[in-house]
Structure formats: structure tokens, C-alpha cells
Amino acid sequence: MNVRFAPSGPLRGTLRVPPDKSISHRAAIIGAMAPEPVRIRNYLRAADTRSTLSAIRALGAIVEERADEIVVRGVGLRQAQQPVERIDVGNAGTLMRLLPGWLAVQQGKTFKLDGDDSIRRRPVDRIAEPLELMGARIEAREGRFPPFTVAGAPLAGIEYPLPVASAQVKSCVLLAGLVTDRTTVSEPLPARDHTERMLKAAGAPLEREGDPSSGYRTTVGNVDELALEEVDIPGDLSSAAFLIAAGVLVKGSRLVLQDIGVNWTRAGFLRILERMGAIVIGELEPAGEFSDREPACELDVSHGPIEATVVDRDEVPLAIDELPLVALLGSFAEGDTEVRGAGELRVKESDRIEAVVEGLRGLGAAIEATSDGFVVHGTGGLRGGRLNARGDHRLALLGAVAGLASAEGVEVVGMEAAEVSYPDFGSDLAKLAE
Ligand code: S3P
């Protein structure tokens, strides 16, 4: 589906964005791991998180979908059923990497996972390695790609230094660690900690040491059962980021976005924007905080001039999904904007370094790829043209925002990719453009 996004007049109004995708996946999975019903308010109804509901149903959980909440009646930590069919994770990388942590715990059972064409290009060796060290058996196509099988086994605790700062891998190991005496994961840099917060809320024994500059060592231990009564999911900052960028770039805009999750391990984009001089006001969580809840606030965004910035390696995991937007903003900023140490972008739903550089260059941006990031020369604007989403939701939404802020508009090829995280983007935009 091709959709044209014309240059926009001022975007104004107050809006709630879709619920957080990362937290929704975790709430469904951890809910399925608990033996008592869990009420999840504001669960994301989008393709990725629907895949997670289908997956936990296949494993024996009962999911009741109500108007404003879902109720998950889980099967307990050690009692997942072995489905007859393979588990289809669709396009959801987070589901594909988190769920095996729980599956590995299921002694004597084997699970087969597969997904769409994009998922089949995304590596799973990063979770296979620690799970095999714990005693599970993983067999993947060419040793590292889906489809793959997870054979559950009695697991032993490990001390695992993450080779890359990945919240998905960290979460997978922590979930498996819940049946071991002691499992420790250390991260080279802090990555989003939604799993740790939810496990803490569910009564898991979880300790963490370290600080924002060094990264954390997180230890979990054996728990009989998880107990999570309710989860309240805030708005998704990664989805909000597209509207925030539109508000900053489109002349005369003023937006208020309500109930946005601002866990500091997710909010790197807001700190980058602040450095660029963008006017985005909100009560953010201070770096280093850790509790069993997810903070949220209102964000007030106004159009204004911006300047270039450098995003270094240590900031990358905290803004990983928003880096394509930093490239777009850099095009409008004064000076050269650079992102470094972001090689992980190459293994997302698309190679997001190549896709962003080629996509924005096709719209008139002066942007170059580097091995682990990109450099954008700010030219104060963007001509427009055509951008191929390559089946990647964040590329589709990037093209849409670029169109609104461009001189000639942008036609996004494959706009339906946005369904996995932000199905109502078009109607939300229409509300702000009225
Ligand atoms: C996610 C972690 C990030 C992010 C992805 C969601 C999560 O991936 O890019 O969109 O929910 O844990 P990595 O952990 O692989 O960096």
C-alpha cells in the first residue's frame, strides 16, 4: 500500500499514542508464566503483540480480550504446553527472543518457532548461546536463523556477560534464570529494563548492581511461582517519537502527548532532542532509577529550530529504535549530526543503517553511512520524493514524518508495515492536522 504524506500545516492538539509495545510483550509472556490471572490494562492491539497473545494461547494460557483490558490466565512457570503446530512470531523480534527463555525451562518439551520473511533474517544465536550454556538445546537454520527449535531441560545458573547491549537477550536469560539457583547477566551499557521491573513486581528475587555509566549486573534466582495481579501499560515513547519529531519539524506545531512511558532506559531520544535544542517539556525519570513500576508523563512539544548533535555508543541502547528519527532531524538541524556505535541497527526489521541512509538520501538528504552509524549534513529542510519502507514499520513511519516536514511531500511505499506497532497512525495524524 502506497500512501502519500503531503507537506503539513501546523499539527496541534492533545493525544494518547498506542500502548508500549515492549511492555505489552512482557506483560503477556510474564502473565502466561504466572499461575493466577493477570489483568493487563492498555495492552497494545497491533500485529506484533497479537502474535504474542497467539503464542501464549498455543502454550496453554487463556486470554480474555475485553474493551479496555485483557486478562491472561497463565499456566505457571514450569507448565507450558507443547503445541502441535510451530509458534508463529510473525514480525516480532522481541517475542522471538524473549519467549525461548521461558520455553527453555520446560523440561522434556520441544518448541518450534518461525516467523515472516523479515524475522527469518534476524539472528537467534545471541539467545541460543546463553540458553545452551544453561543446558537447553537450540537448533536453528544455519546455526543462527529462524525457524528454530528450543528443547527445554533442567537448567543450571550462569554468569553471562552480554556481548551486545541487548534488552531482548538480557530478558531471555533472566526468564530462564528463574528456575536456577542464581543467574547473573551483565550488560556493557544499560539497555531497557522493563523485564527487570516487571519481574520485581511479580515477586521474583532480583538484585541489580552498577550505575548508568558502567551498565548493570542483574541477578535472579529460583522462584516457585510469579505473582502479578495487574499491569498498567503507558503510551509507547517509540511511537510517540514520530509525532514528537513531526511537532518539532512542522512549523507552527504544538502537541500534547499524554501518558507517555518515560522509563529512563527508554528515554534517550528525549535527551538527544534536548541537546538539539528542541522544545519538548515533560517530567522525565532521573537516570539510574529502578523500581517495580513504569513512570509516565505528559510531553508538550513545540516547533522550533534545532542544532546538530553527536550520539555516541553509550547512548545508543537507550534510543536504539529512535535513531532513524535522529537522522531525519539532523537533516533539518544546523551543522553535522552523527550517530556512532550503532551497528545493532543492521539487524533490526531491516538493515536500518542502509535503509535510513538510502531512504533519506532519496528524499534529498545529505547523509552518509558509516560502518556503525551515519553522518547527516544539516541543510535546513528536505525536498521529498518516494521512500520504500522495506517491510519495516519504523521506516514507514519515518517516511510519513519526513513527508509532513518536506517541501514536496513523500510517498511511502509499503505503509502497511506500520501495523505492527502503530495501526492508527493515519487517524491520529488527521486529528492533529484538523
Ligand atoms: C526491545 C529491545 C531492542 C529494541 C526492540 C525492542 C525489547 O532490541 O530494538 O525494538 O523490547 O526488548 P535489542 O534488545 O535487540 O537491542
Side-chain angles (χ1 to χ4, degrees), residues 21-23 25-26 94 97-98 122 126 165-169 171 191-192 194-195 266 320-321 344 348-349 352 393-394:
K21 180 152 82 77
S22 286
I23 301 175
H25 283 304
R26 287 157 171 82
T94 302
R97 304 236 178 76
L98 261 63
R122 303 188 64 188
R126 49 182 60 196
S166 161
Q168 294 179 349
V169 182
S171 300
R192 67 189 71 187
H194 305 304
T195 304
R266 268 297 280 291
I320 185 78
D321 295 333
E344 273 296 295
K348 296 297 176 190
E349 285 82 335
R352 282 195 187 145
H393 57 129
R394 302 215 192 272

Side-chain angles (χ1 to χ4, degrees), residues 249 269 272-273 275-277 306-312 315 322-340 356-357 360 365-370 372-380:
L249 295 178
F269 180 59
I272 295 167
L273 278 169
R275 268 200 326 268
M276 296 182 94
I306 47 174
E307 41 189 80
T309 191
V310 174
V311 175
D312 252 319
E315 256 184 318
E322 292 69 66
L323 296 176
L325 281 168
V326 173
L328 174 66
L329 289 159
S331 242
F332 287 77
E334 191 166 331
D336 288 351
T337 293
E338 188 171 354
V339 170
R340 303 173 181 151
V356 165
V357 168
L360 292 182
I367 180 166
E368 296 292 330
T370 61
D372 61 357
F374 45 78
V375 186
V376 201
H377 177 63
T379 51

Side-chain angles (χ1 to χ4, degrees), residues 346-398:
R346 295 205 185 270
V347 289
K348 296 297 176 190
E349 285 82 335
S350 65
D351 173 342
R352 282 195 187 145
I353 294 182
E354 196 193 302
V356 165
V357 168
E358 284 186 10
L360 292 182
R361 196 184 282 150
L363 306 180
I367 180 166
E368 296 292 330
T370 61
S371 60
D372 61 357
F374 45 78
V375 186
V376 201
H377 177 63
T379 51
L382 208 57
R383 184 192 63 232
R386 240 171 166 229
L387 183 141
N388 189 333
R390 305 183 184 211
D392 182 339
H393 57 129
R394 302 215 192 272
L395 254 293
L397 293 163
L398 177 75

